[in-house]
């Protein structure tokens, strides 16, 4: 018998997952240090050049059927539970996890996952009512500077989406995280904050760097400016501590 497939070509009831790991300290943003299990979904609608998760979307370099195989909801929950889900945060990340929220598998996952669930998103897709109702916190990362270099501005900065997340941030349910390599990029983030009325105290600027030395050098350059603008500075604990 032929297996029923979703529009995305996945077996019905499954989601593409690149990796599930934990328990580890959440490395970034306002929940830095919290015990967390990460579930990283395949595919992304953006193509940020410095992306550190290219195995989730870069089909020119990876066979995505191998890097992000479909997993049933039951299997995802079983593995996540063995890696700390339910006894700390479970962070749904990617790729862009909200690409999958229209399917029944996503809704089943949100219903059955134990404990507090967070989502990391690039701010181009609004949370569905089911997602918004279940997810305790959204880490929202609009792309600017080097991160945004490969995608048109209208694709990566969608006004209606930024406004929807700004409302969640006002309610204390979302925080914005901008990755910036230098002061010019911090100013670019500040322009987005101003243009879309994002609440300033819910903004974290994270120095660009995929190793501890690069992160620290960028951080030293921008920290004062980030403070003067009224934003917060984000760590990358997994880099600076050399943990997962
Ligand atoms: S939005 Fe995130 S996962 Fe997608 S390409 Fe950009 S950094 Fe990578």
């Amino acid at each position: 018998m032929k297996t029923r497939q979703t529009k995305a070509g996945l077996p019905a009831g499954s989601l593409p997952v690149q990796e599930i790991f934990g328990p580890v300290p959440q490395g970034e943003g306002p929940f830095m240090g919290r015990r967390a299990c990460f579930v990283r979904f395949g595919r992304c609608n953006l193509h940020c050049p410095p992306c550190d998760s290219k195995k989730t979307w870069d089909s020119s370099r990876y066979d995505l059927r191998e890097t992000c195989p479909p997993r049933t909801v039951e299997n995802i929950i079983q593995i996540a539970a063995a890696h700390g889900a339910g006894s700390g945060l479970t962070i749904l990340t990617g790729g862009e996890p909200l690409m999958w929220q229209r399917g029944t598998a996503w809704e089943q996952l949100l219903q059955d996952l134990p404990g507090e669930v967070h989502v990391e998103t690039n701010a181009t897709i609004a949370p569905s009512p089911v997602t918004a109702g279940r997810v305790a916190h959204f880490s929202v990362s609009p792309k600017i500077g080097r991160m945004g270099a490969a995608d048109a501005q209208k694709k990566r900065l969608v006004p209606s989406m930024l406004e929807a997340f700004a409302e969640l941030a006002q309610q204390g349910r979302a925080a914005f995280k901008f990755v910036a390599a230098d002061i010019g990029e911090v100013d670019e983030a500040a322009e987005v904050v101003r243009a879309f009325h994002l609440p300033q105290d819910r903004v974290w600027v994270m120095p660009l760097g995929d190793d501890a030395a690069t992160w620290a050098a960028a951080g030293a350059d921008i920290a004062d400016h980030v403070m003067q603008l009224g934003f917060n500075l984000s760590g990358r604990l997994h880099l600076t501590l050399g943990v997962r």
Side-chain angles (χ1 to χ4, degrees):
M1 196 172 70
K2 214 174 157 190
T3 314
R4 206 158 54 81
Q5 299 222 318
T6 65
K7 277 187 198 157
L10 299 165
S14 70
L15 293 161
V17 175
Q18 194 236 319
E19 59 180 351
I20 301 173
F21 62 95
V24 292
Q26 160 63 296
E28 304 169 357
F31 291 85
M32 192 170 79
R34 285 283 303 273
R35 175 186 165 93
C37 166
F38 283 81
V39 180
R40 188 181 306 285
F41 292 94
R43 314 292 191 275
C44 190
N45 56 343
L46 298 183
H47 301 92
C48 310
C51 176
D52 60 8
S53 302
K54 287 188 174 149
K55 282 184 181 172
T56 63
W57 60 265
D58 189 352
S59 57
S60 70
R61 293 171 61 184
Y62 302 101
D63 179 346
L64 302 184
R65 286 166 308 183
E66 278 182 16
T67 57
C68 308
R71 288 190 182 278
T72 63
V73 170
E74 293 76 15
N75 185 239
I76 294 169
I77 290 173
Q78 193 180 32
I79 300 173
H83 289 85
S87 60
L89 311 175
T90 300
I91 299 174
L92 309 182
T93 187
E96 175 45 63
L98 295 186
M99 287 176 72
W100 302 107
Q101 68 177 338
R102 298 289 167 194
T104 53
W106 173 268
E107 295 187 1
Q108 192 69 45
L109 180 70
L110 287 187
Q111 183 183 302
D112 293 350
L113 261 177
E116 188 172 332
V117 176
H118 291 195
V119 160
E120 296 185 335
T121 174
N122 63 23
T124 59
I125 301 171
S128 68
V130 170
T131 305
R134 171 67 175 96
V135 172
H137 175 78
F138 294 87
S139 174
V140 184
S141 186
K143 303 307 176 193
I144 51 124
R146 290 161 180 76
M147 291 300 283
D151 293 297
Q153 182 168 320
K154 67 175 186 213
K155 187 172 178 193
R156 59 189 162 81
L157 299 175
V158 184
S160 57
M161 303 302 154
L162 289 165
E163 282 156 17
F165 283 114
E167 207 174 306
L168 283 168
Q170 297 281 10
Q171 298 164 12
R173 295 186 56 212
F176 290 90
K177 183 178 71 187
F178 291 89
V179 177
D182 54 35
I183 283 177
E185 291 190 0
V186 176
D187 286 336
E188 204 178 320
E191 182 53 30
V192 174
V193 171
R194 191 199 58 74
F196 296 102
H197 311 289
L198 311 185
Q200 196 174 303
D201 63 336
R202 302 295 296 164
V203 174
W204 270 252
V205 178
M206 188 170 83
L208 177 67
D210 53 15
D211 60 68
T214 313
W215 175 86
D221 284 346
I222 68 174
D224 282 349
H225 197 54
V226 169
M227 295 296 111
Q228 279 163 18
L229 288 168
F231 304 146
N232 307 289
L233 190 74
S234 174
R236 291 202 90 187
L237 263 193
H238 45 299
L239 294 184
T240 49
L241 296 183
V243 297
R244 184 73 209 272

